[in-house]
Amino acid sequence: MPRIKVDLSNRVAIVTGAAQGLGRAIAVALAQAGARVACVDVNESLVHETAAAISQEGGTAKAWVCNVADSERVSQVVNEVVDEWGGLQILVNNAGITRDNLLIRMKDDQWDAVIGVNLRGTFLFCRAACRPFLKANSGRIINIASVSGMIGNPGQVNYSASKAGVIGLTRTLARELASRNITVNAIAPGFIATEMSAKLGPDVLEEIKKRTPLGRLGEPQDVADAVLFLASDAASFITGHVLTVDGGLTV
Ligand code: NAI
């Protein structure tokens, strides 16, 4: 359950990568705050599960199957969401992948896949969502970056570059769109307990806990609560910010 009380009724939100992990927690939290949530993901069965779970709890959600790197499909999804619910107020770019390898072993397709989903996908959804945002003269964009995009992480040149790109994109869009009352912020999670971080294995995760001042991995809810804050009216004067949710890892 969200630990901050935020009223997002009458808002429509898109959350990418909503089938599992952080995206699912973010979609659930936005719906619990009253928003109608478009759950977007490539994983057809799981994204329908997320939307169904939200509806069962009394929230409003619908699933859209979409590869965030597919330009045409992204525009189509944004148009369909606006047609379905009459507008769009919040975009959370959360879909992301890793294809880790040391630089000298990294394959072209590992580089391209990660930049394609994490950076191009974020760009495509920002561009498409801007149409309804500009029309309404308001909007909130929240991009999920990573501490890897700030301090780097060996074995993740592709991932760190994509997330540093997301941070640059966030700051530039914040400047470009501020006059239209559209805020653009990023969240940089540290290590959060999801399937993505589980791939690192128990030994690495123990080491990460030791390096984290708060001594634990984050929970998806820690990130979802930060999204709720940035989506809320309380954050209306915050733009171009990168909020770390990392247990102190980068201090
Ligand atoms: P996850 O792997 O559990 O979930 C990612 C979701 O994105 C999945 O549902 C997947 O199907 C979806 N997805 C992947 N490629 C897609 C595509 N092309 N189009 C549409 N959907 C796609 O990952 P997790 O941990 O929930 O991560 C979510 C975001 O948070 C990612 O951007 C990740 O980089 C970021 N992050 C995660 C951290 C962690 O420790 N878990 C730390 C820092 C950042």
Side-chain angles (χ1 to χ4, degrees):
M1 284 298 282
R3 290 159 296 187
I4 60 168
K5 209 168 156 44
V6 162
D7 182 11
L8 298 175
S9 45
N10 300 321
R11 316 273 168 94
V12 175
I14 288 178
V15 180
T16 70
Q20 64 178 38
L22 300 187
R24 183 180 165 117
I26 292 165
V28 168
L30 289 170
Q32 284 168 339
R36 284 164 285 178
V37 183
C39 303
V40 172
D41 208 288
V42 270
N43 188 325
E44 185 167 358
S45 57
L46 275 188
V47 75
H48 278 102
E49 247 182 74
T50 301
I54 291 172
S55 304
Q56 260 164 28
E57 267 194 32
T60 306
K62 219 185 137 184
W64 270 270
V65 179
C66 166
N67 173 359
V68 296
D70 177 346
S71 180
E72 219 171 286
R73 179 68 184 137
V74 168
S75 303
Q76 204 178 33
V77 167
V78 170
N79 289 339
E80 286 175 15
V81 172
V82 171
D83 285 348
E84 177 80 19
W85 287 317
L88 177 68
Q89 286 75 38
I90 300 162
L91 167 67
V92 184
N93 282 303
N94 163 82
I97 57 169
T98 51
R99 296 284 184 272
D100 295 355
N101 224 335
L102 293 172
L103 174 71
I104 50 165
R105 292 200 202 119
M106 184 156 292
K107 306 276 183 295
D108 293 3
D109 63 340
Q110 291 177 314
W111 173 270
D112 291 342
V114 169
I115 299 292
V117 174
N118 300 6
L119 185 53
R120 176 182 157 90
T122 299
F123 153 68
L124 291 177
F125 258 103
C126 286
R127 190 176 61 181
C130 263
R131 287 220 176 89
F133 287 171
L134 288 169
K135 214 166 147 197
N137 225 19
S138 76
R140 293 288 167 95
I141 298 176
I142 300 158
N143 295 323
I144 307 300
S146 166
V147 293
S148 298
M150 301 167 74
I151 57 170
N153 199 20
Q156 291 197 317
V157 279
N158 49 0
Y159 184 76
S160 310
S162 74
K163 295 300 189 177
V166 166
I167 290 170
L169 176 152
T170 301
R171 292 197 169 122
T172 290
L173 273 190
R175 289 180 186 274
E176 250 183 63
L177 299 171
S179 66
R180 309 303 294 271
N181 194 31
I182 300 165
T183 67
V184 190
N185 291 291
I187 292 173
F191 290 87
I192 314 290
T194 67
E195 308 235 339
M196 183 181 273
S197 55
K199 283 185 202 151
L200 297 169
D203 293 348
V204 176
L205 290 179
E206 266 320 302
E207 187 50 40
I208 287 164
K209 281 186 206 165
K210 279 192 204 140
R211 274 171 37 211
T212 303
L214 283 175
R216 64 171 177 91
L217 298 186
E219 294 298 325
Q221 195 63 49
D222 292 317
V223 175
D225 282 339
V227 170
L228 283 184
F229 168 64
L230 289 173
S232 75
D233 292 341
S236 57
F237 199 53
I238 299 175
T239 196
H241 186 67
V242 181
L243 178 58
T244 52
V245 179
D246 69 351
L249 191 68
T250 51
V251 293

